[in-house]
């Protein structure tokens, strides 16, 4: 009996029938012997406990989706409401319907149609499948005989701490709490303090707390480090065999100045027929990290490297990520190459993939390549030998970009905040992260290689991992139209929708000075890209075939693609390998999609911690801002420095009302109307490290006079 295979068979059957089944019907479908009723029932019950199937009050079974129930991750927002995030979308959960669920838990939620005008659906938690973590970070509020810990992140409730478990922590300390009792309708969760972390106003302490809370691990297990350190750093004669030698080509890496894990190198030349040869060579991590080893298991567990504001938590130990596999200049390196010929219309004439050995000529930075493009004489002279190739790269990149644009690929050029730290990891200043031509060149080349590899694997009909991005559904389009309509835009139908429509709206919004708002609204309407074994295409890129091949040092998906691609270099792999891929890729895709989402949240929060700390001594200063959103009692504003702020209208001298139909905030005393995209001067009134909020208020004479009264 293969329990996992039987589960998939049952779920497929239930999805096709759309009706609930009795236990006997399940046994019949799966061919289980009636002699083992007790054992069979235990297996089915374990599936129910795991949320794979559900049981109704008549004793019949079905998959959750068929009965209006979804399985997902419970994400609390400001302890006031939550979302259940599935692979496809998120469902709103009101505070009254948490039913004991806490942030990060895996839950089953019953979905019901909401009365919201924007078409969102809401639901209630009906079962907690798995608690995410039994530790919580928060600030201690100490009393005489007990204490409460107020979580510094969205958790759901405060945690009661008996006196004997306060562990010498003081009022106001940031602490780590272990949960002993999860709470119910009558009692709060209870726990004990296991570690005193420090001052919650210190960003370094807050980032350390973030790492502990999210389960990120800066340290590798000894077994993993031992394997990494035992890998030979010198390439043996045997390792060169069977590889194409590209060491005669001036291949270069182009990365940020502070990057240490250099995993992609590029080369371009113009061919006699007028076409371009584009070589994208990627560090051959699969040569060193073998499947089933401690290194491999740890890499899958991590899923990806995490780039926090002040440090990197790598997927692989530095001996590999910064050493053996990093494509450092003038060193022989083993690589996996995608070698393409592209014509002047941007069409890929041919694409070959093979194992190779390279020796990069230069370790280029985005800044220096951009300076070459801008005609900087000193930098150009320094890299004279590759000047022509750099301009060929720029030429080819623009051709690729143009064909992507014609097919409808959406280019999101939202400004991104860059936090520049000093030697003590304190914020020196904030600035917009530049995205020059060099950055676009590498982005275009990586997309081209990813598409070529994905298409090859698809037509080989071998099980693989795809980077997919599904079309937005009708509810999301309806909600988007409610907002876009205020600016004269509309998506007419979700049926047969093409990314070209979004692209057109975004480009038009730039000319009207609405780029920031429209970009954000469109992004919120689109689904999140993820990893799947099925190729459903990538909507945002308007691409029929897409995967991740170009970053195996920092993404497990790419490492798997290298292994799969390597298996077909010398013929079709054996049936045993194919079967193994079919059985494991689904679970791997789910795991790495989750670690990616978790990493993104941690990265964003680490930036916010530093930004809020930076704003602590900016209280009373005036900034220029743009209104980016509304809630019933709040107006969301982004400063020109890209600091996200909020204006709490309940603290204002006037009475305000949120107009949901016109999506505006109305001053009922003066009649003034605040619209999305409005520019205004704001004064910082509060920066809160515990809430990670920056509160502002409009800076007008009348408003400030009202506040002073």
């Amino acid at each position: 009996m293969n329990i996992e295979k039987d589960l998939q068979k049952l779920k497929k059957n239930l999805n096709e029938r759309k009706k609930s089944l009795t236990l006997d019907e399940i046994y019949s479908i799966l061919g289980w012997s009636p002699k083992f009723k007790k054992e069979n029932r235990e297996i089915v019950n374990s599936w129910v406990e795991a949320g794979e199937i559900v049981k109704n009050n008549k004793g019949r079974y079905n998959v959750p989706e068929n009965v209006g129930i979804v399985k997902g991750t419970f994400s609390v927002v400001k302890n006031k409401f939550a979302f259940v995030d599935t692979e496809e979308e998120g469902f709103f959960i009101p505070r009254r319907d948490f039913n004991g669920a806490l942030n990060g838990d895996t839950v089953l939620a019953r979905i019901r149609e909401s009365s919201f005008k924007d078409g969102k659906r809401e639901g209630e938690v009906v079962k907690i499948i798995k608690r995410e973590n039994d530790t919580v970070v928060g600030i201690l509020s100490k009393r005489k005989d007990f204490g409460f810990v107020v979580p510094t992140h969205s958790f759901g409730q405060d945690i009661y701490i008996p006196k004997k478990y306060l562990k010498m922590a003081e009022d106001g300390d940031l602490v780590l709490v272990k949960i002993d009792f999860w709470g119910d309708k009558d009692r709060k969760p209870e726990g004990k303090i296991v570690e005193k972390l420090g001052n919650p106003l210190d960003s370094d302490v807050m980032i350390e707390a973030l790492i502990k809370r999210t389960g990120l691990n800066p340290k590798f297990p000894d077994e993993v480090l031992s394997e990494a350190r035992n890998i030979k750093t010198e390439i043996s004669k045997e390792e060169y065999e069977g590889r194409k030698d590209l060491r005669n080509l001036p291949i270069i890496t182009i990365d940020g100045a502070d990057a240490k894990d250099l995993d992609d190198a590029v080369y371009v030349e113009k061919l006699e027929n007028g076409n371009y040869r584009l070589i994208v060579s990627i560090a051959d991590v699969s040569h060193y990290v073998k499947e089933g080893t401690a290194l491999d298991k740890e890499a899958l567990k991590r899923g990806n490297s995490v780039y926090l504001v002040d440090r990197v938590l790598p997927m692989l130990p530095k001996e590999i990520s910064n050493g053996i596999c990093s494509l450092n200049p003038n060193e022989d390196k083993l690589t996996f190459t995608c070698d393409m010929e592209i014509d002047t219309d941007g069409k890929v004439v041919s694409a070959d993939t093979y194992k190779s050995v390279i020796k990069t000529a230069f370790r280029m930075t985005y800044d220096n390549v951009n300076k070459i493009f801008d005609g900087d004489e000193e930098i150009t002279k320094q890299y004279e030998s590759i000047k022509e190739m750099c301009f060929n790269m720029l030429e080819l990149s623009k051709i690729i970009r143009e064909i992507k644009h014609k097919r409808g690929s959406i280019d999101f050029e939202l400004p991104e905040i860059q936090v520049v730290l000093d030697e003590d990891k304190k914020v020196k200043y904030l600035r917009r992260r530049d995205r020059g031509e060099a950055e676009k060149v590498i982005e275009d080349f990586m997309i081209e290689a990813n598409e070529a590899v994905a298409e090859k694997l698809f037509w080989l009909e071998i099980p693989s991992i795809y980077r997919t991005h599904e079309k937005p559904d009708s509810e999301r389009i309806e909600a988007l139209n409610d907002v876009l309509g205020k600016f004269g835009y509309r998506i007419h139908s979700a049926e047969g929708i093409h990314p070209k429509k979004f692209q057109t709206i975004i480009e038009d919004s730039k000319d009207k000075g609405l780029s920031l708002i429209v970009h954000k609204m469109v992004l919120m309407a689109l689904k999140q890209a993820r990893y799947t074994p099925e190729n459903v295409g990538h909507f945002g890129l308007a691409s029929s075939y897409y995967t991740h091949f170009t970053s195996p040092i920092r993404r497990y998906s790419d490492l798997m693609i290298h292994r799969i691609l390597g298996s077909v270099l010398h013929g079709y792999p054996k049936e045993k390998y194919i079967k193994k891929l079919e059985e494991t890729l689904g679970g791997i895709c789910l795991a790495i999609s989750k670690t990616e989402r978790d990493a993104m949240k941690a990265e964003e929060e680490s930036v916010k911690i530093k930004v809020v700390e930076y704003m602590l001594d900016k209280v009373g200063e005036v900034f220029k801002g743009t209104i980016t959103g509304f809630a019933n009692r709040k107006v969301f504003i982004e400063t020109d420095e890209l600091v996200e702020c909020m204006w709490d209208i309940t603290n204002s001298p006037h009475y305000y009302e949120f107009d949901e139909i016109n999506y505006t905030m109305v001053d009922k005393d003066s009649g003034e109307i605040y619209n999305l995209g409005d520019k205004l001067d704001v004064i910082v009134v509060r920066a809160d490290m515990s809430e990670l909020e920056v509160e502002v208020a409009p800076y007008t004479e009348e408003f400030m006079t009202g506040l002073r009264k």
Side-chain angles (χ1 to χ4, degrees):
M1 179 187 291
N2 186 323
I3 294 176
E4 180 59 31
K5 190 174 180 181
D6 284 347
L7 172 61
Q8 297 309 318
K9 182 179 178 180
L10 174 61
K11 289 171 73 173
K12 182 180 179 183
N13 191 285
L14 287 166
N15 276 318
E16 289 172 352
R17 291 178 180 233
K18 300 295 183 185
K19 74 169 191 174
S20 300
L21 301 175
T22 65
L23 273 175
D24 288 338
E25 287 172 328
I26 290 174
Y27 300 160
S28 175
I29 288 167
L30 299 180
W32 288 358
S33 170
K35 295 179 182 179
F36 304 103
K37 280 194 172 183
K38 181 182 177 183
E39 292 86 347
N40 294 344
R41 185 186 292 272
E42 286 176 353
I43 292 172
V44 173
N45 286 342
S46 72
W47 291 342
V48 173
E49 283 301 308
E52 298 291 344
I53 58 175
V54 292
K55 179 182 177 182
N56 65 21
N57 53 15
K58 295 181 179 179
R60 291 176 174 268
Y61 300 82
N62 212 323
V63 288
E65 295 79 9
N66 285 349
V67 292
I69 292 175
V70 296
K71 181 180 178 180
T73 303
F74 191 73
S75 300
V76 182
V77 180
K78 299 292 182 186
N79 293 329
K80 295 176 181 176
F81 57 89
F83 289 92
V84 170
D85 296 317
T86 69
E87 282 293 299
E88 290 79 23
E89 58 186 312
F91 298 92
F92 180 83
I93 308 293
R95 186 74 180 80
R96 66 180 181 275
D97 293 322
F98 284 14
N99 294 329
L102 299 169
N103 192 65
D105 291 349
T106 302
V107 302
L108 291 181
R110 180 175 287 108
I111 303 306
R112 57 178 178 262
E113 291 300 321
S114 153
S115 59
F116 287 0
K117 292 183 176 64
D118 59 10
K120 287 181 182 176
R121 289 193 291 171
E122 69 173 42
E124 62 175 326
V125 174
V126 294
K127 185 173 184 179
I128 298 164
I129 302 296
K130 178 187 173 186
R131 294 291 186 183
E132 171 65 12
N133 210 328
D134 64 354
T135 57
V136 176
V137 172
I139 298 173
L140 175 63
S141 179
K142 199 172 183 180
R143 304 292 189 270
K144 183 179 179 182
D145 297 317
F146 61 91
F148 282 102
V149 169
V150 181
T152 54
H153 57 291
S154 294
F155 177 70
Q157 294 189 60
D158 299 345
I159 303 145
Y160 174 78
I161 312 292
K163 184 178 181 179
K164 62 181 178 179
Y165 295 134
L166 289 173
K167 200 177 181 179
M168 304 301 291
E170 299 299 328
D171 187 60
D173 282 345
L174 191 69
V175 295
L176 182 67
V177 176
K178 186 177 187 304
I179 305 295
D180 294 324
F181 170 67
W182 290 101
D184 54 30
K185 290 184 177 180
D186 301 316
R187 292 167 58 198
K188 287 179 176 288
E190 294 182 14
K192 55 189 173 188
I193 294 172
V194 294
E195 188 176 349
K196 177 179 172 179
L197 300 176
N199 182 1
L201 295 180
D202 186 325
S203 64
D204 291 341
V205 172
M206 289 289 284
I207 290 176
E208 290 292 343
L210 168 65
I211 291 171
K212 287 181 182 291
R213 169 166 57 81
T214 53
L216 299 172
N217 194 349
K219 296 180 180 179
F220 287 91
D222 291 341
E223 185 183 5
V224 173
L225 291 175
S226 177
E227 282 188 1
R229 289 164 183 166
N230 284 331
I231 296 174
K232 293 180 180 179
T233 56
E234 292 185 6
I235 303 173
S236 66
K237 183 180 178 182
E238 291 74 25
E239 288 174 301
Y240 284 101
E241 293 176 2
R243 291 178 178 269
K244 193 166 184 176
D245 193 342
L246 302 178
R247 287 176 291 178
N248 62 313
L249 299 178
I251 296 178
I252 62 173
T253 59
I254 308 176
D255 294 274
D258 56 352
K260 296 182 177 65
D261 49 352
L262 314 179
D263 53 9
D264 58 88
V266 292
Y267 168 82
V268 169
E269 68 171 295
K270 267 192 173 181
L271 303 174
E272 291 184 2
N273 62 4
N275 292 347
Y276 298 84
R277 182 188 185 189
L278 168 61
I279 288 178
V280 177
S281 286
I282 308 299
D284 189 2
V285 180
S286 63
H287 178 79
Y288 298 101
V289 180
K290 301 299 184 183
E291 192 170 358
T293 60
L295 270 169
D296 177 52
K297 291 174 182 176
E298 182 68 16
L300 174 56
K301 180 181 176 183
R302 292 172 180 246
N304 43 256
S305 297
V306 183
Y307 294 83
L308 301 180
V309 68
D310 62 346
R311 72 198 76 183
V312 178
L313 305 179
M315 183 180 78
L316 295 165
K318 64 180 180 181
E319 288 82 359
I320 295 175
S321 59
N322 297 355
I324 301 164
C325 289
S326 187
L327 306 181
N328 303 320
N330 301 310
E331 296 178 10
D332 284 6
K333 295 289 180 178
L334 304 182
T335 51
F336 214 135
T337 292
C338 183
D339 193 336
M340 295 162 277
E341 181 179 345
I342 302 173
D343 68 19
T344 53
D345 292 324
K347 181 182 177 182
V348 178
V349 177
S350 65
D352 193 13
T353 52
Y354 51 81
K355 295 284 184 108
S356 56
V357 57
I358 68 170
K359 181 185 285 187
T360 56
F362 295 103
R363 188 264 195 255
M364 300 298 293
T365 65
Y366 292 125
D367 285 346
N368 281 343
V369 174
N370 282 323
K371 286 177 181 178
I372 292 173
F373 292 155
D374 292 338
D376 184 293
E377 292 183 7
E378 183 181 345
I379 297 298
T380 301
K381 185 177 180 181
Q382 185 178 346
Y383 299 107
E384 185 65 38
S385 62
I386 58 167
K387 171 188 171 183
E388 182 180 354
M389 183 176 73
C390 285
F391 279 99
N392 284 338
M393 286 181 175
L394 180 60
E395 201 173 275
L396 176 58
S397 171
K398 289 183 175 179
I399 291 171
I400 292 171
R401 215 175 305 157
E402 179 61 25
I403 199 170
K404 278 167 42 187
H405 182 269
K406 285 180 179 177
R407 75 186 188 199
S409 177
I410 307 171
D411 187 11
F412 289 104
E413 291 196 62
L414 271 174
E416 185 181 346
I417 192 168
Q418 183 176 10
V419 180
V420 181
L421 304 178
D422 61 22
E423 294 178 356
D424 298 321
K425 293 188 178 181
K426 298 300 179 184
V427 182
K428 287 173 67 176
Y429 54 87
L430 308 176
R431 69 181 178 193
R432 290 173 179 246
R433 189 181 296 278
D434 293 328
R435 183 170 172 254
E437 287 294 343
E439 287 87 346
K440 293 177 183 178
V441 164
I442 293 301
E443 180 182 305
D444 291 332
F445 290 175
M446 296 306 112
I447 290 175
E448 201 76 359
N450 286 333
E451 288 182 333
V453 168
E455 185 170 4
K456 176 174 183 172
L457 292 172
F458 177 80
W459 289 111
L460 282 171
E461 297 184 346
I462 186 170
S464 187
I465 292 175
Y466 294 93
R467 180 66 169 177
T468 58
H469 186 221
E470 294 164 289
K471 295 179 180 180
D473 54 37
S474 57
E475 288 180 349
R476 287 171 180 257
I477 296 301
E478 184 181 337
L480 177 63
N481 278 333
D482 284 346
V483 180
L484 288 183
K486 313 297 185 295
F487 304 108
Y489 300 119
R490 180 169 179 78
I491 307 289
H492 290 290
S493 172
E495 295 298 320
I497 192 169
H498 193 275
K500 187 77 174 178
K501 180 63 178 177
F502 291 97
Q503 181 198 83
T504 302
I505 289 174
I506 286 172
E507 289 179 353
D508 186 74
S509 72
K510 292 178 185 176
D511 299 331
K512 296 179 179 178
L514 300 169
S515 179
L516 174 66
I517 302 300
V518 172
H519 264 77
K520 287 197 171 188
M521 294 300 109
V522 170
L523 266 176
M524 288 171 65
L526 296 178
K527 294 186 177 182
Q528 189 169 2
R530 59 192 177 111
Y531 297 105
T532 61
E534 302 83 21
N535 177 42
V536 297
H538 196 292
F539 180 80
L541 291 173
S543 180
S544 300
Y545 316 94
Y546 200 66
T547 191
H548 274 165
F549 159 78
T550 55
S551 295
I553 287 178
R554 62 183 180 88
R555 290 189 305 228
Y556 193 82
S557 57
D558 306 51
L559 174 56
M560 279 300 301
I561 288 297
H562 280 219
R563 288 173 178 160
I564 296 168
L565 198 59
S567 74
V568 297
L569 288 180
H570 306 294
Y572 205 72
K574 294 180 180 179
E575 183 62 31
K576 184 179 179 181
Y577 181 70
I578 298 295
K579 189 175 180 181
K580 183 180 179 182
L581 289 177
E582 289 174 342
E583 291 175 351
T584 59
L585 287 185
I588 290 173
C589 287
L590 286 173
I592 60 180
S593 292
K594 182 181 185 304
T595 57
E596 180 191 43
R597 292 193 300 271
D598 291 345
M600 287 173 61
K601 288 179 181 177
E603 289 166 358
E604 290 170 3
E605 186 172 328
S606 74
V607 170
K608 187 168 281 189
I609 287 169
K610 287 292 184 183
V611 169
V612 174
E613 183 186 50
Y614 176 72
M615 297 298 287
L616 284 172
D617 64 359
K618 303 294 185 293
V619 173
E621 293 189 18
V622 178
F623 293 83
K624 293 188 179 298
T626 303
I627 295 177
T628 58
F630 300 103
N632 282 333
R633 297 179 179 85
K634 292 181 180 179
V635 178
F636 299 102
I637 295 166
E638 188 171 288
T639 72
D640 287 359
E641 294 77 18
L642 305 181
V643 176
E644 294 179 347
C645 310
M646 69 87 185
W647 164 29
D648 187 342
I649 60 169
T650 61
N651 295 329
S652 303
H654 288 189
Y655 173 69
Y656 291 85
E657 192 172 274
F658 176 41
D659 182 345
E660 290 186 64
I661 296 175
N662 295 305
Y663 207 66
T664 59
M665 188 66 74
V666 181
D667 184 336
K668 302 301 285 186
D669 293 332
S670 69
E672 186 174 5
I673 299 174
Y674 291 91
N675 297 281
L676 272 178
D678 280 357
K679 307 287 185 182
L680 70 168
D681 290 339
V682 293
I683 185 169
V684 179
V685 298
R686 180 175 63 91
D688 190 328
M689 286 289 283
S690 62
E691 293 286 335
L692 290 183
E693 277 185 345
V694 177
E695 184 179 349
V696 296
Y699 185 70
T700 62
E701 186 59 36
E702 182 186 5
F703 195 91
M704 296 309 295
T705 300
L707 285 180
R708 286 192 288 266
K709 287 181 179 177

